[in-house]
Amino acid sequence: MNRRSAWPLRILALMAFACFATAAMRAPVSLHEPTGATRLVHLPRRDLSIEMPFRGTLLMLPPLAAEYFLATDAPETASGLTHLSSASLDGGLISKLYPRIAELSRQSRSFPTPHAINLEAVMKLDPGTIMVMSFLAEPLERIGLPALPVMLPGNEQGVVMTACVFAAVAGRSERCKPLQASWQASFDETTALTSKFSNRPRVLAITLLADGSVRAQGPSTLTGRLIERAGGTNIVGGSFGGIVKQPMLSAEQVLSLDPDVILISASSSVASAAAFVEDPRWRIFRASRLRRVYREPEGLVLGLSGIVETPIRLRWMAELFHPRELAPKLRVMAAKTYASAVNFHPSGAELDRILSVAANVGMADSWRFSAASLTHSETTTP
């Protein structure tokens, strides 16, 4: 969104704030007086000072709520949460790992959507910081609220930076370095292997929307970058992508691209790779004929993202792009990653769920992510 198109939204937000402020005047809410002590959080363009003692974080950006919990491993520091769908809670394991997410979501009537900023409710909650979409942060800051503008990371560095900011906000800065070191080691290990492969499959990563339309992941998105790092070639670009990061594609355009591999996002309307392959619209594609269509793993909540889970996603891609060169080690890697980062030891059934094993049954080489892969993971291949 450019600055000019963002202004109407900002003006509407300010008008809404004024209405809520009037309501708040009828029932005054006193904010905590500054204690003098502050927690300083370094942001890309400025620093954020948070009053002590810390009064918790209001999470107004649902896609990054799970990342806050994983990066901080301090669920008690979250004081409020935008309402999450039952699919996000019941369909993912994040609420099992952190029951506070479900608890806060049940209490989130005052924050039904990221756009519905109920100023009176915010003032009553009186959070130490508010994580909100970038274009809403400025109006909140103007009325003296501790807003922290957050954007979905578009590259690997953004993922690391976001996690470290979250940890700093929660007073757990010490988690940043070990999480980043583990991230870097995992990325380096995978990319050191995939950089040697000259045979790079042509990959198309898409989200299938409920209306049947297709949104692709361009080369400048995080998914597009991961495809390249995993030893594939993202074929969306040029006339299809242009400067649009996630272009909409027609069935004809998808057919003209005719990729070797198709990755379907975890948030897509299609429940399994088999459902895609059997759809008459997609049946003739090369990837469908070769059964190299895969629904991306759901992870702990609707996708592998963030500083803990993105390295798992990278290895998942690499093993699918180069199944003959890489041993099936993802399942073991995933279990070790969760245990090390957040002391979570998933069961076999939970790993199946995290890696979306059932959603990819019948696809080429999908067996390597099931429990059957464990007998093959200790081979001499990398």
Side-chain angles (χ1 to χ4, degrees):
M1 181 180 295
N2 59 41
R3 292 181 177 272
R4 183 172 297 176
S5 61
W7 272 111
L9 288 173
R10 291 177 178 173
I11 292 171
L12 287 174
L14 287 170
M15 291 173 64
F17 291 161
C19 294
F20 285 124
T22 301
M25 289 174 63
R26 299 191 190 104
V29 179
S30 61
L31 300 176
H32 292 299
E33 294 295 327
T35 63
T38 59
R39 176 182 296 154
L40 190 63
V41 178
H42 298 288
L43 302 177
R45 295 191 179 99
R46 64 182 179 87
D47 292 336
L48 178 69
S49 295
I50 303 174
E51 297 176 8
M52 294 291 104
F54 186 50
R55 301 188 301 277
T57 297
L58 171 58
L59 298 165
M60 295 294 294
L61 194 62
L64 288 176
E67 174 63 354
Y68 177 85
F69 284 87
L70 291 174
T72 65
D73 198 28
E76 70 280 0
T77 64
S79 59
L81 180 70
T82 301
H83 176 71
L84 297 175
S85 67
S86 58
S88 299
L89 296 175
D90 301 334
L93 294 169
I94 191 71
S95 57
K96 177 179 180 179
L97 179 58
Y98 297 113
R100 185 157 178 76
I101 288 184
E103 174 190 340
L104 291 174
S105 185
R106 287 193 295 267
Q107 301 170 1
S108 63
R109 294 179 182 176
S110 299
F111 311 108
T113 73
H115 300 277
I117 305 294
N118 185 330
L119 185 59
E120 185 175 7
V122 171
M123 294 178 70
K124 285 182 178 179
L125 184 63
D126 190 20
T129 187
I130 307 167
M131 294 186 181
V132 69
M133 289 179 290
S134 298
F135 76 93
L136 287 175
E138 184 179 348
L140 287 171
E141 288 179 306
R142 286 183 180 178
I143 59 174
L145 292 174
L148 192 158
V150 182
M151 295 181 65
L152 292 174
N155 54 43
E156 302 96 315
Q157 292 75 23
V159 171
V160 174
M161 183 192 72
T162 298
C164 289
V165 167
F166 286 177
V169 165
R172 303 215 60 191
S173 295
E174 74 281 358
R175 282 181 58 81
C176 179
K177 285 187 177 180
L179 284 176
Q180 185 174 3
S182 177
W183 154 284
Q184 194 64 57
S186 183
F187 260 66
D188 288 348
E189 179 181 358
T190 300
T191 56
L193 296 171
T194 58
S195 62
K196 300 175 183 178
F197 303 146
S198 57
N199 178 28
R200 300 173 67 90
R202 300 166 65 255
V203 182
L204 175 65
I206 58 174
T207 297
L208 292 172
L209 305 180
D211 62 2
S213 56
V214 177
R215 175 179 290 124
Q217 296 293 323
S220 61
T221 63
L222 179 59
T223 299
R225 296 173 191 273
L226 291 177
I227 288 172
E228 299 291 333
R229 282 186 172 271
T233 299
N234 185 356
I235 60 175
V236 173
S239 59
F240 293 104
I243 61 173
V244 181
K245 290 186 175 182
Q246 296 179 315
M248 302 299 295
L249 300 183
S250 65
E252 291 76 15
Q253 287 175 315
V254 177
L255 180 58
S256 70
L257 292 171
D258 200 20
D260 301 316
V261 177
I262 295 177
L263 305 180
I264 305 170
S265 72
S267 59
S268 291
S269 59
V270 63
S272 68
F276 179 94
V277 169
E278 293 163 7
D279 189 313
R281 292 176 299 167
W282 317 119
R283 203 177 288 166
I284 61 174
F285 294 156
R286 172 180 171 82
S288 295
R289 297 196 308 272
L290 297 177
R291 304 190 79 78
R292 297 191 74 185
V293 176
Y294 309 95
R295 195 172 191 275
E296 290 211 53
E298 69 173 56
L300 291 181
V301 55
L302 296 180
L304 291 173
S305 62
I307 198 167
V308 173
E309 296 187 294
T310 307
I312 301 174
R313 187 182 181 199
L314 179 65
R315 177 77 193 196
W316 179 84
M317 288 183 181
E319 289 195 17
L320 288 176
F321 298 167
H322 302 282
R324 304 296 169 262
E325 293 83 3
L326 296 177
K329 294 186 177 181
L330 178 73
R331 196 175 178 91
V332 172
M333 171 196 170
K336 290 181 178 179
T337 298
Y338 289 118
S340 174
V342 290
N343 196 31
F344 175 50
H345 302 270
S347 66
E350 287 169 341
L351 276 173
D352 286 347
R353 191 168 169 182
I354 288 169
L355 301 177
S356 295
V357 171
N360 289 306
V361 168
M363 298 300 107
D365 301 299
S366 62
W367 64 270
R368 62 176 39 243
F369 305 132
S370 68
S373 68
L374 297 178
T375 58
H376 300 270
S377 62
E378 298 302 323
T379 63
T380 57
T381 53

